[in-house]
Amino acid sequence: MEDVQSLPSGPLPSFMIGDFQLETSELFNEFMTELGVNWVTRNIANNLYPVQKISQDEDEISLITETPIRSTDTKFKLNIPWEETTADGRVTETISTLEGNILRKVQVPDPSTGYHSTQEDREFSEDGETMKMTLTISGKPAVTCIRVYKRLPANI
């Protein structure tokens, strides 16, 4: 792990900054099905092992999810709502908070769309080597998805 003093300062603790590769995934297909993601897209997504890149520039956080097929890039500030287009195509009002070792994003679409509200919790181990992302849909605990990511070595 990098020297803590060489990491950027700002709203996120240093152990949350870095690149994380997906290792395991539970109930991702069920989660996507509940969101209305079509079979072809689900089949592709279930076979990808994305890298999540978390960085910050002063108080702006960047969250990039990279796959060989599609990448997303979201920039936001903690505790300030913004409009986000999610990977599954929902337009939501999103707010992110930092609660201990959890970076939380709550995504709420306009009620008229009929889309579900979702929550992404990125929980980091004390040593920063593991990030457990829990994906939940309001009122649908049976499709809670858990995806575990491991830190990739820093580029030197």
Side-chain angles (χ1 to χ4, degrees), residues 15-16 20-26 52 54 101-104 119-136 144-151:
F15 62 84
M16 291 184 177
F20 299 84
Q21 173 86 54
L22 178 67
E23 289 223 328
T24 64
S25 185
E26 298 172 18
Q52 290 206 353
I54 302 171
N101 65 335
I102 297 174
L103 177 59
R104 173 167 292 149
Q119 182 169 307
E120 298 177 2
D121 285 351
R122 288 171 176 81
E123 181 177 1
F124 295 82
S125 61
E126 285 186 29
D127 63 5
E129 293 302 310
T130 303
M131 176 183 74
K132 179 175 84 171
M133 185 166 74
T134 303
L135 304 170
T136 56
T144 296
C145 171
I146 297 176
R147 294 167 64 86
V148 177
Y149 291 75
K150 296 289 183 184
R151 179 179 294 278

Side-chain angles (χ1 to χ4, degrees), residues 9-126:
S9 61
L12 293 182
S14 61
F15 62 84
M16 291 184 177
I17 304 297
D19 299 349
F20 299 84
Q21 173 86 54
L22 178 67
E23 289 223 328
T24 64
S25 185
E26 298 172 18
L27 297 177
F28 190 48
N29 189 62
E30 292 81 352
F31 180 82
M32 288 188 295
T33 299
E34 190 64 39
L35 289 177
V37 177
N38 70 58
W39 182 86
V40 172
T41 302
R42 289 195 325 266
N43 195 38
I44 293 168
N46 279 318
N47 289 294
L48 297 175
Y49 287 82
V51 172
Q52 290 206 353
K53 298 181 173 192
I54 302 171
S55 62
Q56 61 187 358
D57 182 13
E58 296 187 18
D59 61 348
E60 185 175 70
I61 298 165
S62 175
L63 177 57
I64 299 170
T65 302
E66 292 183 344
T67 73
I69 294 175
R70 182 176 177 204
S71 297
T72 60
D73 184 357
T74 304
K75 292 183 179 0
F76 56 91
K77 295 178 181 180
L78 292 174
N79 306 309
I80 298 175
W82 82 96
E83 185 177 284
E84 178 181 22
T85 301
T86 64
D88 61 302
R90 292 171 298 136
V91 176
T92 65
E93 180 171 291
T94 301
I95 190 163
S96 290
T97 56
L98 182 60
E99 300 174 27
N101 65 335
I102 297 174
L103 177 59
R104 173 167 292 149
K105 279 175 52 180
V106 176
Q107 301 159 318
V108 180
D110 185 301
S112 68
T113 64
Y115 292 135
H116 292 294
S117 293
T118 52
Q119 182 169 307
E120 298 177 2
D121 285 351
R122 288 171 176 81
E123 181 177 1
F124 295 82
S125 61
E126 285 186 29

